[in-house]
Amino acid sequence: MSQLIEIKSVPIEIEMKVSPARLEYTHASADLEISRDRGGLNIKSRPIRLNVDTFEMRNSILPSPATSIEQLPQKGRQAAYEATATYAQQGELLLKAKIGEDVMSQYSKTALSPDMNSQPGLTFIPTTGPEISWDAAELNIKFEMDKLNFDWRISGNEFKFTPGDIEISVTQQPAVIIKYIGGPLYVPPSADPNYEPVDVKA
């Protein structure tokens, strides 16, 4: 007797996609800004300076009001001292007078005539010269070199991690296929065109 039923099993089909993990590194970028400060050469020169003070010289020729006020009392005191000395000398002469001496002639000579032994006073003006001073010359040289300024702008390094991924998809479901592969069944069996009676012997 031939096989009437064919049974076929269909397995499941699974598709798997795997994405590995990734670690991405981004290099740092740097920006450089350069600025320049210009220097220079500075020269400062001051020539010699002559200072001439003629106040005392002019004051000896024509005294100023302040100097006159200061000198007048001194001259007055000096004149008083000289007059006192003269009167004392004349009084001493009168005290030593003797009878019969010509005291008046000696007194008049002392009082009215100048001292013959004294020398005439000569004064040259101005009595003092100007005060002269000077400030030495000065030379200052200042040199500054140019300056370069560097400004770095650096961004940080970056790490980017992408985790792994597993994707599973079922492309075919499992199944059991049952197929009848036999011929048609006739009821009653005699309806089969190819029916042959079965010889049953007792």
Side-chain angles (χ1 to χ4, degrees), residues 144-156:
E144 291 185 358
M145 298 180 61
D146 293 351
K147 296 179 181 179
L148 291 179
N149 302 318
F150 298 91
D151 186 8
W152 290 94
R153 298 176 182 176
I154 302 176
S155 60

Side-chain angles (χ1 to χ4, degrees), residues 179-194:
K179 183 178 180 182
Y180 177 74
I181 60 174
L185 297 176
Y186 293 95
V187 180
S190 58
D192 185 2
N194 298 324

